[in-house]
Amino acid sequence: MSAEALRAAVRDVIDFPKPGIVFKDITPILADGALFRESISLLCETAGGAKIDKVVGIDARGFIFAAAVADRLGAGFVPVRKKGKLPWKTHFTAYELEYGEAAVEMHQDAVKPGESILVVDDLLATGGTAAAALKLLAGLGANVLGVSVLIELEFLNGRSKLEPHPVRTIITY
Ligand code: AMP
């Protein structure tokens, strides 16, 4: 099995959630045990054998991959959530969307200074969401080893917003 098998399973949904967007639906990967396991294996390989203390997943599809990667790597899992969902004391940051603004937040005690972090999400588009997560992690003094994403929409050049962190992706469009 390979990244090509994963690519073949991604379903393009035209004009979702609004006209002009081609939504990359990863639920066919999740629904297939072998494909899901392969997606987690390939994401784990992006860590290159480095010791990871915590895997940070981004709301909401990122949680699915990040939690499985954390379990496989023997690391902890930390959620970056949309504003208003976390119960404890948080840090938050707002960021630009194509239309309007969004905000994400993290618990203040979720990561200790110097801990080695891998950020995981399902898809990198403009990079705004991952950049916001990196900003929160920088504020906590985390040592971010990289950002690993299943799908990258290369033509949006989201990775430029994440410099100088290494960005590793499995399937690119
Ligand atoms: P961005 O902040 O633009 O990089 O957007 C990344 C987030 O939005 C990811 O967490 C994705 O889940 C979601 N997203 C953006 N564009 C798409 C797309 N075309 N298909 C599926 N998910 C998307």
Side-chain angles (χ1 to χ4, degrees):
M1 189 160 308
S2 66
E4 277 314 306
L6 297 176
R7 174 196 289 274
V10 173
R11 176 163 55 197
D12 282 358
V13 183
I14 311 296
D15 292 335
F16 182 88
K18 55 188 177 202
I21 304 286
V22 179
F23 191 87
K24 298 293 184 190
D25 178 17
I26 47 91
T27 60
I29 293 177
L30 303 180
D32 182 301
L35 289 175
F36 185 41
R37 178 166 289 170
E38 178 69 359
S39 70
I40 301 307
S41 298
L42 292 174
L43 285 168
C44 285
E45 277 175 24
T46 66
K51 171 85 180 76
I52 306 289
D53 295 312
K54 286 170 182 163
V55 178
V56 168
I58 302 179
D59 205 341
R61 285 176 298 276
F63 293 166
I64 301 163
F65 295 99
V69 168
D71 179 57
R72 193 85 69 85
L73 296 178
F77 167 78
V78 170
V80 167
R81 295 217 64 180
K82 291 176 184 137
K83 198 161 172 2
K85 302 286 187 186
L86 287 171
W88 183 241
K89 294 172 192 165
T90 64
H91 291 302
F92 81 95
T93 186
Y95 62 101
E96 298 289 320
L97 289 177
E98 205 177 345
Y99 300 102
E101 264 208 343
V104 288
E105 59 186 345
M106 255 177 88
H107 276 152
Q108 291 179 8
D109 60 358
V111 169
K112 296 183 193 67
E115 279 188 321
S116 296
I117 304 297
L118 183 69
V119 177
V120 170
D121 202 359
D122 67 322
L123 185 142
L124 182 67
T126 66
T129 316
L134 290 173
K135 193 170 158 193
L136 291 174
L137 286 163
L140 292 175
N143 175 29
V144 177
L145 300 184
V147 179
S148 298
V149 180
L150 187 66
I151 298 172
E152 177 179 9
L153 303 184
E154 270 183 327
F155 51 91
L156 294 173
N157 198 25
R159 59 172 60 226
S160 67
K161 284 206 184 82
L162 312 184
E163 287 172 355
H165 298 95
V167 178
R168 301 178 182 98
T169 56
I170 310 300
I171 308 167
T172 56
Y173 291 93

